[in-house]
Amino acid sequence: MCHPGPPRFVSTGETIQLAPRDPDPEKEYHWRVVDAPPPSDATVGTEPVADFTPDVPGQYRIGLAAPDGDHSLTVRAFPASYEGADVAGGSAEAIRDRDAARADVAYAADRPAEGVGPPRIRLDAAVEDETVVVRATATPNPESALDADDLAVTFVIDDRDVADAVAAGRTNPRDARVVSEEPTGATLRVETGSVPERLRVHAVAVAYEPGAEPRVSVADAVAVNRVESGAGGRRPEGTTPEDRFETTRLNRPPEWTETASVYEVYVRTFADADEGETLAAVADRIPAVADLGVDCLWLTPVLANDGKPHGYNITDFFSIADDLGDREEYRRLVETAHDHGMRVLFDFVANHTAREHAWFQDAYQNPDSPYRDRYEWQESGEPGTYFDWELIANVDHANLTVRRHLLDVVDAWAPLVDGFRCDMAWAVPDSFWRELRDRVKSIDPEFLLMDETIPYIPGFHEGMFDVHFDATLYFQLRQIGRGAAPAESMLDAIDERARVGFPDHAGFLQYIENHDETRYRVECGDAAAAAAGAATVTLPGMPMLYAGQEIGQRGRRDAIAWEHAREEVRDRYRRLLAAHDAHPALGPRGDLHRVAYHVASGDPTERPIEADGDRVHPDDVVAFARGSGSEAVVVVLNFAPGDATVAVDADHGRLNVVTGDHCLVTDADGADRIRVDDVAVVPAEL
């Protein structure tokens, strides 16, 4: 189906990219503005992949004439002034022309760098009697003075489902909907008779801060699907309306990610192997990795490339690199991981090819090449790229052949794996990511989509990605380890997620090192590395280890020194991950609570960590709580080399569940304190 996808919620002046889905490069596609607010002069481009910029607030309807018929897309625009703003690429935040000279530009920053950030919204759907009920829970930004009752909610029913309902002779669900304000928030109701095979409802929360432009949340969406009837089309006697429908929250991460931990494998240095046997050697090490307690493998790219060991400069998107093995060995590796209870992430590169790719070789310095329009080009005649990278060339996603090729790549590899880690997600138009999500989720709703967008972009959780790299937490943990920031600032990094507008159901990948970064212990020392690693496991998010981190590896991309493994480090991570699995409070559903605490040891006049001493400055330590009720825990992290004793203002127990040892001591005043080396996780009652 060529329909361009879900409705879009944007601001005036924001340019979005419109693209037909599942395109045939040999066919014709034509866009038009069908309806617009009366003052609007907005037009839409004439190319198959076109840009549209709403010029006044209100609701627009964009038409697409495609080989499979006419389609309609709703665009809801909210007032905004974009004078001096740095926005392009269709997300209002992704920047498509970055280079090293502009590296100081925070491309993931919300457009208005000052003022209160956007609100958040969550949708939940149910079928009650013969009515579909969609309830919106709108939440003000943490820094806003507004209450939830002050927020407006805008609902839009998916254009695709409107068309299906009308085609099936049902009442247009937009005509049948009833929106009301209730004590629980805004609610949309639609009689079940208007529901086609699938009804998708999208919504945003809008905050009208005094004296400021409206702030619009990341959209959320739910789907209501008709359940197949029994034999002969008859339903069992006594079937209720609830039995005839199932509801889904479309932007929630896969359920399995709630307890998952990730292990990144840099494939070419992970295991000693002869040429062409690397994938088999990686598979041989999977039992040891599984014993660590991780349950998801992220493999750096395995496709044919230009010979650079990282593998991101791809020359053939459908073939395994010769030096790694072949497709059958890759399939066996995935099966081995599955046999050991681990899922596998494929590293998907959609922004560029290697300059050794056959397309580029033909197109470079050849204006007549049939491949020329598949790349972005600078006025100099050189290909478009980022940060002066010399060996890659950015593809042009406005070219239907490029989009078709990349979708075929998705179709080739998605059935073999459990998710994609999407490289340079910020550089690829969101229209492509939205199509990719619908494509893979229609086959496997539990397929994981993880974006590398550094720093993160809240809008990428809207119909695109489930889990996001948390470079903000990564950076803050480095600052803490270097002694440049207090340990408590990691909690500010977690709070930042809501402040910039991520919904509560967004997932985050938490890490202290990866193949692009210096090893944490090299920069910050062993003591800080132990505490920082524990932070990624005990803070709300999805912990990740980079291969070698668990044995004290010092080289970033060197061959893993398995024969020199520091077993005490491996055992520490094994115990941490076991505690994470055993205590639901440490998972995404366990709320983070700040607690009052006092560090007993250390000289508060000195600053901060002394790597060769054992004194503890209060800024070296942080305490917080996770969860609630009898399942709650108190976590204490200590970045200093010496032990700390910490009084925590919470009702907690005596046992450190990470080590299995009692950790409570009593000071001279008879007060209970938690003694902590690097981490203590203690059961609590909150």
Side-chain angles (χ1 to χ4, degrees):
M1 184 179 182
C2 297
H3 193 284
R8 302 294 303 277
F9 301 90
V10 298
S11 298
T12 54
E14 176 182 349
T15 298
I16 59 173
Q17 186 184 81
L18 305 173
R21 294 192 168 191
D22 204 18
D24 182 345
E26 302 300 321
K27 303 294 185 180
E28 293 188 357
Y29 303 86
H30 301 282
W31 297 93
R32 66 193 186 280
V33 177
V34 176
D35 193 21
S40 174
D41 294 319
T43 59
V44 65
T46 59
E47 297 298 320
V49 178
D51 289 341
F52 175 69
T53 307
D55 53 352
V56 299
Q59 187 158 295
Y60 298 76
R61 189 157 60 94
I62 310 300
L64 170 65
D68 63 342
D70 269 7
H71 304 286
S72 176
L73 175 71
T74 297
V75 177
R76 182 67 169 83
F78 296 90
S81 171
Y82 270 70
E83 183 179 357
D86 195 353
V87 289
S91 70
E93 294 156 312
I95 294 176
R96 298 276 298 161
D97 60 351
R98 288 182 58 75
D99 56 34
R102 301 178 67 235
D104 59 326
V105 179
Y107 62 81
D110 187 26
R111 181 188 65 83
E114 66 286 336
V116 177
R120 292 165 291 148
I121 193 170
R122 169 181 167 136
L123 295 187
D124 292 279
V127 177
E128 300 173 2
D129 296 326
E130 292 291 346
T131 305
V132 172
V133 182
V134 179
R135 294 183 171 89
T137 303
T139 307
N141 188 277
E143 296 179 338
S144 174
L146 299 178
D147 295 326
D149 292 346
D150 298 322
L151 302 178
V153 173
T154 298
F155 292 100
V156 176
I157 293 176
D158 201 295
D159 300 89
R160 294 166 290 183
D161 304 329
V162 170
D164 288 347
V166 173
R170 300 181 183 277
T171 303
N172 184 326
R174 285 185 178 167
D175 296 336
R177 73 175 195 167
V178 176
V179 176
S180 60
E181 292 289 342
E182 300 180 1
T184 55
T187 301
L188 177 145
R189 286 179 167 81
V190 177
E191 297 299 318
T192 56
S194 297
V195 177
E197 290 305 304
R198 192 179 202 197
L199 182 71
R200 283 160 286 196
V201 178
H202 309 257
V204 293
V206 186
Y208 294 93
E209 302 282 350
E213 295 170 351
R215 297 296 174 95
V216 182
S217 73
V218 171
D220 199 16
V222 292
V224 179
N225 300 316
R226 286 187 177 269
V227 177
E228 293 287 340
S229 57
R234 297 186 182 88
R235 298 187 182 277
E237 188 174 343
T239 298
T240 66
E242 290 81 357
D243 297 326
R244 302 200 308 270
F245 298 90
E246 62 181 8
T247 62
T248 307
R249 298 190 60 246
L250 295 177
N251 290 323
R252 71 159 183 86
E255 188 173 351
W256 61 267
T257 64
E258 293 190 357
T259 57
S261 50
V262 177
Y263 187 87
E264 182 196 356
V265 172
Y266 188 77
V267 291
R268 286 177 174 81
T269 58
F270 179 72
D272 294 332
D274 294 329
E275 185 81 4
E277 297 180 356
T278 298
L279 293 178
V282 172
D284 289 343
R285 285 205 171 270
I286 282 179
V289 175
D291 180 65
L292 186 63
V294 295
D295 36 34
C296 183
L297 289 180
W298 156 27
L299 304 177
T300 55
V302 297
L303 300 182
N305 60 81
D306 64 358
K308 294 300 178 182
H310 53 68
Y312 286 94
N313 305 346
I314 295 173
T315 57
D316 182 349
F317 286 83
F318 296 95
S319 299
I320 297 292
D322 290 339
D323 65 318
L324 300 183
D326 56 29
R327 188 183 180 92
E328 181 59 25
E329 287 174 309
Y330 181 72
R331 184 187 62 79
R332 284 199 294 268
L333 187 160
V334 174
E335 290 178 349
T336 301
H338 289 171
D339 290 343
H340 287 81
M342 288 189 289
R343 291 174 168 84
V344 177
L345 300 183
F346 179 91
D347 207 325
F348 178 53
V349 180
N351 173 70
H352 57 265
T353 73
R355 297 195 188 187
E356 291 187 11
H357 192 284
W359 288 0
F360 185 82
Q361 291 291 300
D362 190 275
Y364 185 54
Q365 297 183 342
N366 179 12
D368 298 324
S369 169
Y371 304 104
R372 183 78 180 180
D373 61 358
R374 299 182 188 183
Y375 289 94
E376 297 176 352
W377 298 96
Q378 303 177 53
E379 291 183 4
S380 64
E382 295 300 304
T385 186
Y386 296 97
F387 310 110
D388 294 326
W389 289 331
E390 298 178 349
L391 301 177
I392 63 170
N394 292 349
V395 295
D396 186 353
H397 296 89
N399 182 292
L400 288 189
T401 300
V402 169
R403 296 180 83 98
R404 177 75 271 161
H405 186 81
L406 291 173
L407 291 172
D408 291 343
V409 174
V410 170
D411 292 346
W413 297 107
L416 275 68
V417 295
D418 306 286
F420 285 166
R421 177 267 186 189
C422 296
D423 182 60
M424 292 179 67
W426 55 270
V428 177
D430 58 0
S431 62
F432 177 78
W433 294 131
R434 293 174 194 274
E435 179 173 5
L436 183 151
R437 183 181 183 88
D438 279 357
R439 200 174 189 91
V440 297
K441 296 283 189 177
S442 66
I443 299 170
D444 179 9
E446 293 294 288
F447 193 91
L448 173 63
L449 291 173
M450 178 189 297
D451 67 344
E452 182 211 25
T453 301
I454 301 174
Y456 45 42
I457 298 175
F460 274 43
H461 198 79
E462 180 183 316
M464 288 180 269
F465 295 97
D466 302 304
V467 174
H468 315 273
F469 272 52
D470 194 344
T472 299
L473 177 63
Y474 161 83
F475 174 77
Q476 204 58 38
L477 289 173
R478 288 276 172 143
Q479 291 289 87
I480 294 166
R482 288 194 293 259
E488 190 175 19
S489 66
M490 72 174 67
L491 305 182
D492 298 330
I494 299 298
D495 290 344
E496 183 70 8
R497 299 168 180 175
R499 284 197 293 268
V500 301
F502 277 103
D504 290 338
H505 47 268
F508 294 89
L509 186 74
Q510 302 181 158
Y511 57 97
I512 60 171
E513 55 195 44
N514 58 40
H515 67 275
D516 286 326
E517 309 294 346
T518 305
R519 295 283 185 174
Y520 191 101
R521 67 183 293 251
V522 171
E523 184 175 341
C524 304
D526 283 346
T536 65
V537 180
T538 55
L539 288 168
M542 197 173 176
M544 187 196 88
L545 276 69
Y546 175 41
Q549 179 179 334
E550 78 278 20
I551 64 167
Q553 178 88 1
R554 296 184 65 85
R556 180 181 61 164
R557 296 180 179 178
D558 300 351
I560 305 295
W562 299 112
E563 69 278 12
H564 299 296
R566 296 174 58 190
E567 290 302 326
E568 75 278 8
V569 179
R570 192 196 322 255
D571 186 56
R572 180 194 308 135
Y573 276 110
R574 187 183 291 115
R575 289 186 276 108
L576 269 170
L577 292 169
H580 180 270
D581 290 346
H583 295 273
L586 295 176
R589 295 185 182 180
D591 290 338
L592 174 68
H593 307 281
R594 293 181 185 250
V595 295
Y597 63 93
H598 175 71
V599 181
S601 61
D603 181 354
T605 66
E606 293 185 6
R607 178 76 191 114
I609 298 173
E610 296 187 13
D612 58 352
D614 59 2
R615 288 183 294 177
V616 179
H617 188 283
D619 282 352
D620 299 337
V621 178
V622 61
F624 54 91
R626 298 289 312 279
S628 60
S630 60
E631 291 189 344
V633 295
V634 163
V635 179
V636 184
L637 299 171
N638 174 23
F639 285 75
D643 287 358
T645 57
V646 184
V648 178
D649 187 13
D651 186 7
H652 60 78
R654 303 174 56 86
L655 184 70
N656 183 350
V657 300
V658 176
T659 63
D661 298 327
H662 288 286
C663 60
L664 213 61
V665 297
T666 304
D667 65 15
D669 297 325
D672 288 335
R673 299 185 180 275
I674 296 172
R675 180 178 293 279
V676 56
D677 178 4
D678 48 273
V679 57
V681 178
V682 183
E685 182 79 35
L686 296 181

